[in-house]
Amino acid sequence: MGFRLEHLEQRLRALVEDYLGRVPWRDHTEDWSRHLFEALQTALLNQPTGRPLPNLCVIEVPHAIYATWHRKGDWQAPLIRALEELAGEAGFNFLGTPQIVLRENPNLEGDEMRVHWEWEDERLGETAVITLNAEPESRVPHGRRAFLIVRGQEVFPLEQSVISIGRHSDNTLVITDLRVSRHHAQIRRVGDCFVLFDLNSTGGTYVNGERIFQRELQAGDVISLAGVPLIYGEESQPDGTAGTQPME
């Protein structure tokens, strides 16, 4: 992908803040930009080259946020303009004009938010809908836990649906090594497994010595982020066991 995801995120955030900053209310502006980018990134990483991206963006929110936002007018338009402008700059296409829909999700609480994309696929029938989730639900097999061993010393438990890895402090796993890009890679739960994505890093992401852009991880896989070693592991865990502690 010629247009770096790191720059893509910066541009989308700037556009969302710019457009939403023109309306009299600014609450949740940062949340909109972050979740929109995560959903857009998922679509870009999973979509075959040359195929348009789905154009229906669904934002799921808890009742309290829905009760406030679904009454407000014209909040979708700034986000749509941001997505259209970003698409023009980055050189990707939506299936049609982007549309944004707000849905209430009773399973969400507080300021939680989920964003995914939907579209009708003619190959599956006129009413078939394919969904790309920005935050896949956890389906790790019961009684097992996954983790990374970082530099042979620290055990980092994979307890979230999305784990971002990089040098920047806003990552889930921060690796302070100049060889590592600010936003280098991402691990996502997909079904019963974890999938590693390279985020167009400068130094590359490798699994067992092979450079990868997307790879389903297996226990014992040796990962290298531009030379910084990590090992992916899984182990049995009795019910109620707490999180992993760093290795001595």
Side-chain angles (χ1 to χ4, degrees):
M1 190 182 305
F3 200 89
R4 292 180 61 83
L5 284 171
E6 182 177 325
H7 182 64
L8 202 70
E9 179 180 20
Q10 294 170 350
R11 282 296 297 141
L12 181 57
R13 179 171 297 179
L15 289 168
V16 170
E17 290 177 351
D18 179 37
Y19 287 130
L20 284 184
R22 301 174 191 177
V23 297
W25 26 267
R26 292 178 55 86
D27 47 329
H28 300 294
T29 296
E30 184 175 349
D31 288 337
W32 294 134
S33 62
R34 178 168 60 87
H35 287 284
L36 274 176
F37 170 72
E38 290 176 352
L40 182 60
Q41 173 180 279
T42 299
L44 289 169
L45 288 171
N46 286 281
Q47 195 69 353
T49 303
R51 183 176 179 181
L53 297 178
N55 64 316
L56 178 60
C57 181
V58 179
I59 301 177
E60 298 181 11
V61 295
H63 173 74
I65 295 178
Y66 180 82
T68 300
W69 279 85
H70 87 280
R71 297 192 188 96
K72 293 184 176 181
D74 201 35
W75 63 268
Q76 293 103 329
L79 300 182
I80 291 173
R81 287 198 297 271
L83 289 171
E84 289 179 323
E85 188 167 332
L86 187 68
E89 295 179 5
F92 60 84
N93 298 308
F94 292 103
L95 185 63
T97 301
Q99 302 294 325
I100 295 179
V101 175
L102 191 70
R103 290 181 185 167
E104 181 179 356
N105 185 332
N107 296 319
L108 299 180
E109 299 178 352
D111 291 332
E112 286 185 280
M113 185 183 302
R114 291 179 184 172
V115 181
H116 64 264
W117 297 87
E118 296 179 356
W119 80 99
E120 292 184 345
D121 193 321
E122 294 178 355
R123 295 174 303 168
L124 300 179
E126 185 176 351
T127 61
V129 174
I130 295 177
T131 301
L132 292 173
N133 291 302
E135 297 184 18
E137 295 182 1
S138 171
R139 300 178 193 170
V140 176
H142 180 69
R144 300 191 63 80
R145 63 186 177 90
F147 56 89
L148 295 175
I149 301 176
V150 184
R151 291 172 169 155
Q153 298 179 342
E154 179 185 356
V155 177
F156 183 88
L158 303 181
E159 298 176 336
Q160 301 180 33
S161 296
V162 180
I163 298 95
S164 58
I165 307 172
R167 200 173 71 247
H168 196 278
S169 60
D170 63 1
N171 287 284
T172 316
L173 172 57
V174 178
I175 299 179
T176 54
D177 189 302
L178 292 177
R179 294 173 293 176
V180 176
S181 296
R182 296 202 320 163
H183 298 93
H184 195 108
Q186 190 176 87
I187 295 176
R188 307 181 73 89
R189 282 183 179 136
V190 179
D192 289 340
C193 63
F194 281 92
V195 179
L196 173 66
F197 296 91
D198 178 79
L199 300 182
N200 288 326
S201 63
T202 301
T205 299
Y206 298 79
V207 175
N208 302 327
E210 178 185 353
R211 185 162 188 172
I212 63 95
F213 296 95
Q214 177 178 336
R215 172 72 64 85
E216 179 180 330
L217 294 172
Q218 304 292 330
D221 279 346
V222 178
I223 302 167
S224 173
L225 304 182
V228 176
L230 302 91
I231 298 176
Y232 173 77
E234 297 177 353
E235 69 178 18
S236 298
Q237 173 178 276
D239 290 344
T241 299
T244 307
Q245 298 297 322
M247 297 174 62
E248 298 294 336

